[in-house]
């Protein structure tokens, strides 16, 4: 399975490195012993050639004297000799072990030779009736294997430790840069178009990548600002002549009282007022999305704000014969703009009053965790089908175009703009029956 996370890649790299170090260590250990064994075999062959230069003409007394002399010499004490006859009886030498096979073979602790841990044996025929066994240590230093393994582990362990520290440092560095990028992207997704990726001026590839991304974000922000300004200026410029037109139509309506044209003038006046309301709502959204209000955010207690809004709307809700259920806890504080949050809650309650018939129940509730505050506004009306919820969030889109109470299709988009400004999330769900609007905001924990 291919690792897909930075931590997984680091762990996979370490696993491969450790496996490689183990293979290299075992290979070095085996190669060292092969080299030592080869040197010992050459020494045994050389000593055997001096001891028995001619195997066809054997002088046993001379061989025994030579063996005795070699065993007495200090530099030859690591050599052992054993001469046996055809029946296996010991003839000469100090060794008394089971006779190894002819040729070269390995000797270890199991052969129970005093003072020998590892060695090599050479057995060769001497004449027709005798065998000569020569044994030499292939471990040049006492406890060589354990010392060699300790040195090998120390060296390779140091390499592994250095690489592990390097991998940890590398993954933390890359992880920190990815975290910076993720934080910048998250801020931009929540409407903070001034957010940028951190640049540390190190000149590294990560730094150059951050500069490139920031230049791209600057360009995107410029393009969005240009589009927003064009739309804002157009709406602002059109509102002035529409206001003049409304004034003219209002004057005509007063002069045309009792005239057959009066109903038509009244209809044109209402349409003009509707268009002025449309432009006002559009300009309000542009103001929210374009103004850097985050710099002026303060701690807002949504609990108190929601109770104030509920108290303001309770008479209107009761007048329509509705049940208004309010469930608000205390101490639910977020960072935000009090005026915009007040407008957000007012718009949601207005939508409930506009889009549901009198007598329909409405609820407003708040709940909180350590990380977020959730606001829920629900009604028991006909709701919005799941397939139409995305349409309801689009600007200038109304699900029922024949409903004159439906406004301009900017109610929920305006709420969504306020929620995005506060780094929140808006979700439309089913109240079963009816519609529930869920708003989630990051919570501010007070000391």
């Amino acid at each position: 399975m291919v690792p897909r996370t930075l931590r997984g890649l680091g762990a996979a790299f370490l696993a491969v490195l450790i496996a490689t170090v183990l293979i290299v260590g075992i290979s070095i250990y085996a190669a060292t012993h092969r080299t030592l064994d080869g040197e010992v075999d050459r020494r045994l062959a050389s000593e055997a050639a001096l001891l028995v230069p001619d195997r066809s003409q054997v002088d046993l007394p001379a061989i025994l004297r030579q063996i005795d002399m070699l065993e007495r010499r200090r530099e030859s004490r690591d050599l052992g000799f054993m001469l046996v006859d055809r029946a296996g009886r010991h003839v000469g030498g100090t060794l008394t072990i089971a006779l190894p096979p002819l040729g070269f073979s390995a000797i270890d602790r199991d052969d129970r030779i005093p003072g020998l841990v590892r060695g090599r044996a050479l057995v060769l025929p001497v004449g027709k009736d005798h065998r000569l066994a020569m044994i030499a240590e292939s471990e040049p230093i006492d406890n060589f294997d354990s010392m060699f393994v300790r040195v090998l582990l120390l060296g390779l362990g140091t390499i592994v430790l250095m690489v592990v520290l390097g991998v940890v440092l590398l993954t933390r560095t890359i992880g920190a840069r990815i975290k910076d990028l993720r934080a910048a992207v998250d801020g931009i997704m929540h409407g903070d178009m001034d957010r940028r990726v951190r640049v540390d001026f190190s000149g590294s590839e990560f730094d150059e990548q951050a500069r490139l991304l920031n230049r791209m974000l600057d360009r995107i922000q410029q393009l969005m600002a240009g589009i927003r300004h064009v739309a804002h200026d157009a709406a602002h410029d059109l509102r002035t002549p529409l206001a003049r037109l409304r004034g003219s139509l209002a004057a005509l309506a007063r002069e045309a009282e009792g005239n057959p044209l009066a109903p038509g003038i009244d209809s044109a006046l209402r349409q003009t007022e509707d268009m002025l309301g449309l432009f006002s709502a559009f300009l309000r959204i542009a103001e929210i999305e374009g103004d850097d209000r985050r710099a002026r955010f303060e701690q807002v207690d949504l609990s108190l704000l929601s109770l104030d809004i509920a108290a303001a709307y309770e008479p209107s809700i009761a007048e329509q014969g509705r049940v208004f259920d309010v469930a608000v806890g205390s101490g639910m504080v977020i960072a935000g703009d009090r005026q915009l949050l007040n407008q957000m809650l007012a718009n949601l309650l207005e939508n409930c009053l506009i889009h549901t018939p009198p007598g329909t129940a409405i609820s407003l509730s708040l709940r909180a965790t350590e990380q977020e505050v959730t606001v829920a506004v629900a009604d028991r009306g006909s709701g919005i089908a799941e397939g139409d919820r995305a349409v309801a969030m689009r600007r200038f889109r109304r699900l029922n175009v024949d409903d004159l109470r439906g406004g301009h299709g900017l109610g929920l988009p305006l709420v969504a703009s306020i929620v995005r400004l506060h780094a929140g999330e808006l979700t439309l769900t089913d109240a079963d029956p009816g519609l529930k609007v869920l708003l989630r905001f990051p919570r501010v924990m007070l000391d």
Side-chain angles (χ1 to χ4, degrees):
M1 184 175 180
V2 180
R4 299 182 181 275
T5 64
L6 188 60
R7 183 175 297 177
L9 288 172
F13 175 78
L14 287 178
V16 172
L17 174 69
I18 292 173
T20 303
V21 167
L22 289 176
I23 293 172
V24 170
I26 293 172
S27 300
I28 293 175
Y29 180 82
T32 301
H33 277 294
R34 283 198 302 270
T35 302
L36 290 174
D37 290 345
E39 291 296 325
V40 172
D41 288 349
R42 281 191 289 272
R43 182 188 178 196
L44 288 173
S46 176
E47 294 288 348
L50 293 175
L51 188 61
V52 188
D54 187 357
R55 299 180 192 176
S56 61
Q57 297 179 359
V58 177
D59 185 356
L60 285 179
I63 292 175
L64 290 173
R65 288 193 299 271
Q66 187 72 13
I67 289 174
D68 182 65
M69 182 187 68
L70 289 172
E71 288 184 336
R72 290 176 181 273
R73 288 168 54 182
R74 182 179 300 275
E75 63 271 17
S76 302
R77 285 182 181 177
D78 60 338
L79 288 173
F81 300 89
M82 184 176 68
L83 185 65
V84 298
D85 61 12
R86 182 188 295 274
R89 292 188 295 270
H90 186 271
V91 176
T94 56
L95 292 177
T96 55
I97 62 172
L99 186 68
L102 286 172
F104 292 101
S105 60
I107 299 295
D108 55 26
R109 295 179 186 271
D110 294 338
D111 292 288
R112 298 180 179 179
I113 299 176
L116 186 141
V117 178
R118 290 186 71 260
R120 298 286 293 173
L122 173 60
V123 178
L124 63 150
V126 177
K128 296 181 180 180
D129 299 324
H130 294 81
R131 296 285 188 274
L132 175 63
M134 302 175 59
I135 295 175
E137 287 183 313
S138 59
E139 189 170 82
I141 305 173
D142 292 340
N143 300 317
F144 172 77
D145 271 3
S146 60
M147 293 175 63
F148 180 81
V149 169
R150 284 198 297 271
V151 171
L152 193 63
L153 290 178
L154 180 62
L156 297 180
T158 302
I159 294 174
V160 171
L161 179 61
M162 295 291 289
V163 173
V164 167
L165 292 176
V167 169
V168 170
L169 181 62
L170 180 63
T171 53
R172 286 188 176 181
T173 301
I174 296 175
R177 300 310 294 255
I178 293 176
K179 185 178 180 180
D180 290 340
L181 178 61
R182 187 185 299 119
V185 172
D186 186 64
I188 292 169
M189 288 178 60
H190 286 94
D192 185 5
M193 294 305 298
D194 293 326
R195 192 69 174 267
R196 294 294 181 267
V197 184
R198 182 177 62 88
V199 177
D200 58 11
F201 304 100
S202 62
S204 64
E205 288 78 3
F206 294 111
D207 213 43
E208 291 300 317
Q209 186 73 11
R211 292 175 185 272
L212 182 62
L213 289 173
N214 288 340
R215 288 199 298 270
M216 180 185 70
L217 292 172
D218 289 340
R219 182 57 178 161
I220 292 174
Q221 186 179 27
Q222 291 172 3
L223 294 174
M224 292 182 63
I227 295 173
R228 185 165 55 245
H229 289 157
V230 169
H232 180 275
D233 293 344
H236 188 273
D237 291 343
L238 286 173
R239 189 170 61 170
T240 300
L242 280 174
R244 293 173 181 170
L245 177 60
R246 179 191 175 281
S248 300
L249 289 173
L252 286 175
R254 289 192 298 269
E255 295 177 1
E257 291 182 3
N259 191 294
L261 295 176
I265 295 174
D266 289 338
S267 176
L269 181 59
R270 285 194 302 271
Q271 293 180 35
T272 305
E273 291 175 344
D274 189 58
M275 293 178 66
L276 283 171
L278 174 64
F279 282 121
S280 295
F282 184 83
L283 290 172
R284 183 58 172 157
I285 292 178
E287 178 189 1
I288 293 171
E289 295 182 342
D291 191 14
D292 186 14
R293 291 177 175 263
R294 287 186 177 86
R296 302 192 298 273
F297 273 7
E298 59 181 346
Q299 291 183 355
V300 179
D301 190 334
L302 273 184
S303 305
L304 298 178
L305 188 65
S306 299
L307 291 174
D308 289 342
I309 288 290
Y313 273 85
E314 191 169 8
S316 299
I317 294 174
E319 185 180 346
Q320 296 185 13
R322 299 172 183 267
V323 175
F324 189 24
D325 183 19
V326 179
V328 176
S330 61
M332 302 183 190
V333 179
I334 69 170
D337 184 299
R338 186 180 304 275
Q339 180 183 0
L340 291 179
L341 292 172
N342 189 81
Q343 182 178 357
M344 173 192 74
L345 294 173
N347 276 26
L348 291 176
L349 293 177
E350 286 286 350
N351 281 347
C352 293
L353 293 174
I354 292 173
H355 297 288
T356 60
T360 304
I362 299 174
S363 66
L364 170 63
S365 63
L366 270 73
R367 59 184 177 86
T369 65
E370 291 186 358
Q371 289 77 31
E372 65 179 18
V373 175
T374 302
V375 181
V377 178
D379 62 61
R380 294 294 180 178
S382 58
I384 299 177
E386 186 174 355
D388 293 332
R389 290 171 188 169
V391 178
M393 295 303 299
R394 298 177 189 171
R395 298 177 184 179
F396 310 112
R397 298 296 297 272
R398 291 185 296 172
L399 298 179
N400 186 359
V401 296
D402 296 327
D403 186 0
L404 296 179
R405 301 174 304 163
H408 312 102
L410 290 174
L412 284 176
L414 177 60
V415 172
S417 295
I418 297 174
V419 172
R420 280 195 300 271
L421 180 68
H422 290 79
E425 179 183 349
L426 184 151
T427 307
L428 302 181
T429 62
D430 192 354
D432 194 26
L435 177 69
K436 179 185 290 186
V437 182
L438 292 177
L439 312 175
R440 295 183 176 88
F441 300 98
R443 186 179 184 183
V444 175
M445 299 299 295
L446 300 178
D447 296 333

